[in-house]
Every structure is written in structure tokens, then in C-alpha cells.
Amino acid sequence: MTRTFELELAGKKMSFEIGRMAKQANAAVLAKHGNTALLVTSVLAEKAREGLDFFPLLVDFEERYYAAGKVPGGFIKREGRPSESAILSGRMIDRSIRSLFPEWMRHDVHVVATVMSVDQVNPANILGINGASLALSISDIPWDGPIGAVRIGCLDGELVVNPDEADMENSTLDLVVAGHRGGVTMVEAGAQEVSEELLVDALELANQEIRKIVEFIDSVRAEIGKEKAVLPMPAVISEIDEWMQNELADEIYSAVQIHEKQPRGAAISAAQDKAMEHFAESHPDSGKYIAGVMEEMVKKSVRKLLLDDKIRSDGRKMDELRNITCEVDILPMAHGSALFTRGETQSLGVSTLGMMGTDDQVLDGLKIDEPSKRFILHYNFPPYSVGEVRPMRGPGRREIGHGALAERALRSVFPTEEEFPYVVRQVSDILESNGSSSMASVCSGSLAMMAAGVPIKKAVAGIAMGLIADDGKFGILTDIQGLEDHYGDMDFKVAGTRDGVTALQMDNKAGGITRDILTQALGQAKAGRLKILDIMDGAIASPRPDIAPTAPKITTLMIDPEKIRDIIGPGGKMIRSIVQRTGAKIDVEDSGRVYIAAVNTESSDMAVKIIRDLTKEVEPGEIYVGTATRMLNFGVFIEILPGKEGLLHVSEISSHHIPKLEDAFGIGDKVLVTVKEIDDMNRVNLSRKRIIDRLDELAKDPEFTEQVAVEKEREERYALFPKSEGAPRRDRDGDRPRRDSGDRGGRSEQGEGRPARRFERDRNNRRG
């Protein structure tokens, strides 16, 4: 039987249809928000997986292009690898629900959110979290939910719940929060340097709306929910538990206080080996069980050390940073590079400047007319960074998620296209890792871009905070390392400038987090962030005034869109010719904006001149250095701009007599000319004679200096040509004779003109 349940939230209606689709899954929900719709399913494996030491949860977020009325690109024309947006949406669902499953559970759980309709108004990822919560709640899968999720924006200084996608373009905050009655489980945010106080207010507003969603899901579960399956608990070997507690507890407690990561790990391994050796005969197959007990004992020791003794494993105070060093210009040929080291975490940040239209990232997703990305940050986590051996493949979900967080943190300070017409690809290679590598990527990225000459508005730093809470006691840790992250209750990453927060991410395994805890954590994070920024300023305090010598020099021009065809040429012939001649990269937008990228100024200037010449309108009086292209009996055609010719009539070459055009010029010769006129048929008539008297003046212009010397030599040569004999040479205008006479009788004074001959002929006829 099909049932539909509706919830009104922030003035909008969400509906959840159950019982019509995917009925063989443990539970399936068709969730709708406006005209955005997702099918969310949850499935539990029949048998537990043997040998695992973690809970096998898999979350897939499937985007179907038909949801937006689009056909996938490429040759195959079907959906392939999930987009970055889909991977991040799947991670958000995973992070929201994972902590509420039993830790001991080893049955696979698969949650799939399939996007079936997108209205470009209501985001699919928020609906996916709520749909997954309902599907798990009404299923028989053991899960300590439900949860709810909302998105908070800040428009004109006011916090708004679940704003439309179009409104988010003007929002200074993009905050996604998921949580249950006890508190927040997941936070993801990007911001435009907002204050910590605003973030606390936004989180509290989100909690209020989340409670409404949780109550709604509870009511649906009470009406149609299945009874939860009873799964077998892991076996307990009391003999091993007691022996390890009695014999190894003190040794483990001492081991977790070793400051360095690898010696600490070796000490814990040595303690585990003792247990393995002790039970080798009595319990020969208990290796994984002993490893599980050891994991729990280390966790308890770390938490006791922090909560009871107020001591951190590396000897720091609760609010103390690890040792930090910053270096720039690490790589000689990179456009910008920086090495950021914080304790045993090290990020090599490298900036590469590219060209708009060529190097920007085109996003082929469900959004309509989504602009390409000018700023891209990629995060790499090789196995040697943690001293491990494993195959290196493409980036996994973790790498994509960490890179997206660092990119979000830096995006708000990235210059606009008008300020800096470049694409920037920022890469963070993690060379060492012991916690907070994503925040190290923020710091190395900020340093590398400033070293490359990218005019970012302000420096950005990131820091990871931790929380340990138990029996009413809690401790907030600044700059957590891997051990504290793994065994703590909260991983709280905060990035920002001196003036505000630009990115926030939180995963919480503890219960409720009060406003006081949030305020203290954000305040402690701000203090740490400011200290890090002070250290970063010691390496480089502001962006360099010029881009790196190895970076391409990009020039932008605006041309009349009607002239684009002149640059492209038939079949792209002209633009290919410009690229071959200059070595520059050229991209032309439909708006008429032209990007020219070249490795040196000479190539850039040459390409700029060619494009300006191609799109320039010829005006009377302008002076050009043209090239002779064709000879006729009455003049020579001169190419003054690419593809634009004018006629230099023989009468306009010089005031000296020119016996033959071949004596004056040859095909391919450079000629200094001025535009005499443009006639009604848009024909360009040129003159050289009119600027002869201005040669000394024109010689002062660097554009004409060299050619002026050539023209002076020509004039000296023309002066040696023989004078015309007989009738004086007639000046011509165009290709037609110019008749220059005074009154009619005047022609007889210049020799035997036509009127005199006609008079004599008439007189002779009368005599005859």
C-alpha cells in the first residue's frame, strides 16, 4: 500500500512517498521538495562480514541526467563515474548517519540516493539526508536515529532556513547541518568571512528546525516502521579481556604519552605482541579479537589522559599549537609553491596559473548553465605520508572531500575575473600526516598563491579542533593530531582570515553540544588561527605585486562581438595562424572578451597587435606601415591591417615623377602611408605623398622610426628619376583622370587642347 507523508518546513512542503517503488529493499522512500525528487533506499546484508574491524557502511549518491532534462556528454552518452558534487553529497549523508550505527556491527549497510528530478530551486543533497534518515528509521536495520538536515543561508544579514538555490548566490553563508535530538552530527559550511557569533546563531536555528524533522520522522516510524532486526553481538573472551587489563593497562597508558607518532605506535604494537604471544597456544585464532581489545584500551587511555590528567599525548597544553614552519618558493619552475609544516603534518602547496576558456574546469552536472570553475584545489594523500605501503590509484572520497573543504576555505578570498583574469589550479600534496592535513592544505594554498602573485584579498589559515566529553566533563583541544581525532568525540575544522570564518566542517560522535561548548570551541579556534596567520606572515605577508616569471602573461581585450569572425577566420584559419606566429594561447568568448596568454611579453604584444589590427576600423588620417601586395598599372594595393587593403595610386606615391611602379616598390615591401579617404563604396584610398613633409615628426614615434629611414632613402632615389617629357604628368584621383582647368579658354594656353583642334576643324569645313 502506498502512503504519502508531508512536512511543512520554513514555508515549504516536503513529501515522502512509501510503498510504491523499490519494494525489495529493506526500505525505500521517494522524497520530494518542490519538484526535486530522490529515491532513497536502505539495504542490510543477510550475513556479517568476517574479519572486519570496522562497520561496513556504503552510501552512494546517484545523479541521473534525465533529472535535469540533460543528455550526458562524451561518446558513451550514459552516466559514468560520480561527479565531484555527487561524491560530496554522498559523504554528507555518510557523515550524518554513520555515528548512529552500533560500533560492533559488521553487516553491510547500503544507502542509495538516486536523484530523479531537479527543479534548480531546492537542493537534492539536503533532501537526500532527510530521505536516508526516514528510510533507515522505518526499516528493520539497527540504527539509533532519526536525524534531520537543513541548509542555512544569510541574506542581507538575516538567517534563512532552506533558501532557494538562486538566493544562495547573494548569501554570505552556506551552512548544512544534520543532527538528532541530542545534537549535531554533521556540519559543512562555506562563508564570506562571517563572525563566530553568527555561526553559533545559525547552528542554533538549524537545531530548532532539525527537531521538527526528527519529530515528523518519529511519527512516521511509529505508524509504519518495521521492528528492528536483532543481530548477534560479537563474542566476548573474558580471559583475554581481564589479562590485558591487568597486565597491559599501565604500559598502554605510558605508550600513549610518547610524543612522536611512530615511536608511540611501536610501543602500542609491542604491548599487543605480548598479548598475542601469551594467548598463542590457548587462543591461537584470537589475533583480531586482541587487536579489538587493544584498540578499546588505547581509546580509554587517551580519553583518561585528556579528561582526568589534562595532558595531551605530545605534551602540549589544551590550547597549544604544534610547532609550525612556513617556506615559500620551494620549486623553481612552479608558478608558486610553499611548504607548510605543523608538527608531523606537512603540506606542499603548488599554484599553477592558467588561461580562461582553456584551463578552467567545465562542470557537467545537473545544474543548468553552471559556470566553469576558475579556482580548483586538488588534494593528494600518498601512502608514504603515513609510512604505509599500498597501491596509488585515483583520488578517493576522502581526498575529494578534503580538497573541497580547502577549496571552499580559499574561494572567498580569490580575486574576481576582472581583477585577475586567470585560472588557478592549487595542488596540496600531503608529504606527512598526523592530523589536520586538510587545514594544512588551506595554509599552504594561501602561501603558494601569494608567492605566485595571485592577488588574494587576505591570507587564510585553518585549524582543527577536538572535543573529548564523558560523564559531564569535557575538554576542547586546539590543533588536534591523529590520535586525538581518532579517539575523540568531535572533529571541528575551522578556516578563515583575521576578519572572519570562510569554511567550517564538523563531525560529532558525542551527544548534545551546547551553545557554551560551540562558543568556546570557535573562540579557541580563532585564537589559534590568528597565531598561525602571524607565523605565515613571517614567510610572506601579502601577494607579490607581479606574477611569477614562469607564469603565462594574460592580457584581456574587449572587441565588438561582430568582429569575432574576423579573429576566428574561415574554419579557424586566422586564429590558428595567430597562435602559430606568436606562440600565444587565445580564447574568445561570445561576449567579445578575448584572453591572450603568452610566456613572454613579446609574444603577448604581437598577438595583441594582430587582434587589434584585425578588429580595428580604418579611419581617414591614420598612418600605417603597410605591405605591398598587388601591382596594377595605375597603383599598388597596400595591406595596412590584416585582411584590409587600400589603393595607393601612382599620383599619391611622391611629388617626384615615378616612371614605372616597379621602380618604386616591389611586392612585399613595407610602405609608410596615410588613409586619404574612404569612399562611398567603403574603398580605402591611401597616400604616401601627404606625409613626406612629416617624416621627421613621425620618426619620433617608435612604431614608425625604422620605416621613416626607409622612406627618406626612397625619396632620395625618386628624386634621381628622369623628369617626364612632353605634356606634364597628370595627377590622378583614384583610377580616373583628373581634369584641372580654369575657364574654358585656358586650355589653349597650355598647348594644343581639344577645343582648339575642334575650332580649326570647323573653320576648314566652312572653307571647303
Side-chain angles (χ1 to χ4, degrees):
M1 182 177 66
T2 301
R3 299 287 303 275
T4 300
F5 301 89
E6 293 184 344
L7 167 68
E8 187 167 326
L9 192 74
K12 296 181 181 180
K13 187 176 291 184
M14 287 186 189
S15 68
F16 301 88
E17 180 188 288
I18 301 163
R20 182 158 65 117
M21 295 184 178
K23 293 185 287 296
Q24 296 193 44
N26 289 61
V29 174
L30 180 65
K32 294 182 181 179
H33 195 188
N35 286 325
T36 294
L38 288 87
L39 176 65
V40 187
T41 60
S42 59
V43 176
L44 175 71
E46 292 183 3
K47 296 181 179 180
R49 274 212 271 171
E50 298 293 334
L52 287 185
D53 57 357
F54 63 91
F55 165 53
L57 170 66
L58 176 62
V59 177
D60 283 314
F61 192 89
E62 295 286 303
E63 293 178 330
R64 296 289 184 258
Y65 275 70
Y66 59 68
K70 298 173 69 175
V71 176
F75 293 102
I76 301 176
K77 298 300 179 187
R78 70 172 298 161
E79 293 84 358
R81 185 178 187 271
S83 67
E84 185 173 300
S85 172
I87 291 172
L88 295 175
S89 297
R91 272 177 56 85
M92 280 202 289
I93 297 175
D94 186 305
R95 290 163 47 211
S96 301
I97 64 177
R98 180 177 289 273
S99 63
L100 300 178
F101 286 95
E103 289 186 8
W104 51 263
M105 192 168 160
R106 296 296 179 264
H107 287 69
D108 285 270
V109 173
H110 193 192
V111 175
V112 181
T114 305
V115 183
M116 294 184 162
S117 178
V118 173
D119 61 7
Q120 311 296 330
V121 176
N122 302 289
N125 53 2
I126 308 300
L127 188 60
I129 299 173
N130 290 314
S133 175
L134 181 56
L136 288 168
S137 295
I138 64 174
S139 75
D140 57 347
I141 301 173
W143 187 60
D144 193 19
I147 62 166
V150 294
R151 187 185 198 183
I152 305 293
C154 185
L155 303 171
D156 299 324
E158 296 294 326
L159 295 174
V160 181
V161 178
N162 287 345
D164 294 346
E165 286 280 22
D167 293 334
M168 292 305 297
E169 295 178 6
N170 303 314
S171 177
T172 57
L173 175 66
D174 187 354
L175 174 71
V176 177
V177 185
H180 49 74
R181 279 196 180 86
V184 171
T185 60
M186 189 278 303
V187 175
E188 190 80 34
Q192 302 288 330
E193 297 182 281
V194 301
S195 67
E196 282 76 7
E197 292 77 15
L198 179 68
L199 283 174
V200 173
D201 291 341
L203 288 167
E204 286 203 335
L205 175 61
N207 269 327
Q208 295 173 15
E209 301 300 317
I210 285 170
R211 291 189 192 101
K212 299 176 185 177
I213 300 172
V214 169
E215 290 172 2
F216 166 76
I217 294 176
D218 273 340
S219 67
V220 175
R221 179 172 60 181
E223 189 171 343
I224 65 169
K226 300 177 184 178
E227 185 176 347
K228 294 299 181 183
V230 179
L231 303 180
M233 297 277 291
V236 175
I237 307 177
S238 302
E239 181 185 352
I240 294 178
D241 292 351
E242 292 172 2
W243 186 89
M244 290 182 68
Q245 184 62 40
N246 294 332
E247 300 296 328
L248 301 178
D250 292 340
E251 187 174 341
I252 292 171
Y253 193 70
S254 298
V256 298
Q257 298 181 60
I258 298 174
H259 293 181
E260 291 78 21
K261 176 183 176 181
Q262 291 187 347
R264 180 171 59 243
I268 294 172
S269 295
Q272 183 172 321
D273 289 342
K274 288 182 181 179
M276 298 280 287
E277 185 178 348
H278 182 79
F279 293 103
E281 293 184 4
S282 60
H283 297 83
D285 299 324
S286 62
K288 290 181 179 177
Y289 183 85
I290 291 172
V293 175
M294 178 63 65
E295 176 78 5
E296 189 64 26
M297 291 179 69
V298 172
K299 179 179 179 179
K300 289 180 179 178
S301 295
V302 171
R303 296 173 69 86
K304 178 178 182 297
L305 188 70
L306 290 166
L307 286 175
D308 296 341
D309 301 337
K310 302 297 181 182
I311 300 174
R312 301 177 71 169
S313 60
D314 57 2
R316 285 181 292 147
K317 298 176 183 177
M318 303 292 273
D319 61 350
E320 186 178 350
L321 296 170
R322 288 174 285 177
N323 184 54
I324 294 174
T325 60
C326 303
E327 304 169 66
V328 295
D329 302 328
I330 299 297
L331 307 176
M333 293 304 295
H335 301 163
S337 60
L339 188 66
F340 180 85
T341 307
R342 176 164 45 196
E344 294 177 303
T345 296
Q346 187 176 71
S347 169
L348 174 65
V350 183
S351 301
T352 305
L353 277 58
M355 181 180 174
M356 291 291 300
T358 302
D359 299 314
D360 47 343
Q361 183 180 7
V362 177
L363 301 176
D364 189 14
L366 297 186
K367 286 190 177 181
I368 303 297
D369 299 326
E370 186 169 5
S372 57
K373 285 174 65 175
R374 293 178 51 240
F375 176 56
I376 310 156
L377 194 147
H378 291 150
Y379 169 101
N380 298 315
F381 193 86
Y384 61 75
S385 66
V386 288
E388 295 180 357
V389 177
R390 65 172 183 267
M392 294 180 67
R393 300 288 186 260
R397 292 189 174 197
R398 179 182 178 277
E399 284 87 349
I400 290 172
H402 279 30
L405 175 60
E407 180 180 305
R408 191 180 303 116
L410 291 165
R411 188 184 301 134
S412 65
V413 299
F414 192 71
T416 64
E417 184 178 333
E418 290 72 24
E419 294 170 328
F420 192 67
Y422 285 81
V423 171
V424 174
R425 179 181 183 244
Q426 182 66 37
V427 175
S428 173
D429 281 318
I430 303 303
L431 309 183
E432 293 183 61
S433 180
N434 186 14
S436 192
S437 59
S438 62
M439 294 296 94
S441 300
V442 174
C443 300
S444 69
S446 178
L447 291 166
M449 284 197 288
M450 288 195 289
V454 180
I456 60 174
K457 299 181 179 84
K458 299 170 186 175
V460 183
I463 189 168
M465 308 297 294
L467 173 70
I468 302 288
D470 201 5
D471 293 332
K473 297 181 290 185
F474 72 90
I476 296 174
L477 312 176
T478 295
D479 184 21
I480 57 173
Q481 57 178 326
L483 194 73
E484 296 163 339
D485 182 8
H486 184 66
Y487 296 116
D489 295 316
M490 180 182 74
D491 178 14
F492 196 16
K493 300 182 178 76
V494 187
T497 67
R498 294 184 185 278
D499 298 320
V501 175
T502 58
L504 177 69
Q505 187 180 89
M506 181 173 73
D507 295 304
N508 179 32
K509 294 174 280 187
I513 298 179
T514 65
R515 184 183 181 97
D516 289 341
I517 293 177
L518 280 174
T519 302
Q520 182 178 337
L522 285 168
Q524 208 164 304
K526 182 178 181 180
R529 186 173 80 241
L530 295 178
K531 291 178 183 177
I532 297 170
L533 287 168
D534 288 339
I535 298 170
M536 290 169 59
D537 284 348
I540 184 168
S542 61
R544 287 176 173 153
D546 299 310
I547 61 172
T550 54
K553 312 301 184 290
I554 295 183
T555 306
T556 59
L557 302 174
M558 281 301 299
I559 65 169
D560 183 348
E562 294 295 324
K563 300 289 185 180
I564 293 176
R565 60 177 177 269
D566 297 330
I567 299 176
I568 304 300
K573 181 179 179 181
M574 179 58 71
I575 197 167
R576 285 197 300 270
S577 171
I578 301 171
V579 171
Q580 290 171 358
R581 289 167 60 188
T582 65
K585 285 184 177 181
I586 300 171
D587 182 70
V588 185
E589 294 184 344
D590 293 339
S591 63
R593 186 181 296 275
V594 181
Y595 296 94
I596 302 165
V599 294
N600 56 63
T601 305
E602 292 76 13
S603 295
S604 178
D605 290 346
M606 186 186 303
V608 168
K609 185 178 186 308
I610 293 172
I611 291 172
R612 281 181 172 159
D613 288 348
L614 281 169
T615 58
K616 186 177 180 180
E617 293 290 344
V618 177
E619 298 290 341
E622 291 183 334
I623 298 173
Y624 298 94
V625 177
T627 304
T629 57
R630 292 182 291 155
M631 292 282 192
L632 300 176
N633 59 356
F634 54 82
V636 58
F637 280 95
I638 307 291
E639 186 180 49
I640 55 175
L641 293 174
K644 296 181 181 179
E645 293 182 334
L647 175 65
L648 178 61
H649 193 270
V650 64
S651 63
E652 293 293 338
I653 294 176
S654 174
S655 54
H656 298 291
H657 174 63
I658 305 297
K660 292 187 299 184
L661 283 173
E662 291 80 1
D663 296 333
F665 308 116
I667 299 297
D669 285 355
K670 298 292 184 183
V671 187
L672 189 65
V673 293
T674 184
V675 179
K676 178 183 174 185
E677 64 177 358
I678 302 174
D679 64 20
D680 295 339
M681 298 178 66
N682 208 31
R683 295 180 300 189
V684 179
N685 291 319
L686 306 174
S687 174
R688 177 180 174 277
K689 181 172 67 175
R690 295 190 178 198
I691 57 174
I692 294 300
D693 294 339
R694 298 175 54 195
L695 290 179
D696 289 337
E697 174 191 345
L698 295 174
K700 298 176 182 177
D701 189 330
E703 184 179 355
F704 304 128
T705 302
E706 185 176 344
Q707 190 62 32
V708 165
V710 175
E711 301 303 339
K712 286 184 176 181
E713 290 178 5
R714 279 182 179 151
E715 278 300 295
E716 292 174 1
R717 182 161 53 86
Y718 294 166
L720 300 177
F721 286 168
K723 307 296 184 199
S724 62
E725 297 179 359
R729 177 175 57 85
R730 295 175 180 173
D731 290 336
R732 294 178 179 268
D733 186 7
D735 57 353
R736 301 178 62 185
R738 185 178 68 190
R739 298 176 181 175
D740 187 9
S741 62
D743 52 30
R744 292 191 177 184
R747 293 199 179 215
S748 61
E749 299 173 0
Q750 300 175 6
E752 239 176 52
R754 184 176 179 186
R757 290 197 302 272
R758 185 176 62 188
F759 174 76
E760 292 293 334
R761 185 175 64 247
D762 292 344
R763 186 176 62 178
N764 291 336
N765 288 338
R766 285 197 299 271
R767 286 177 180 175

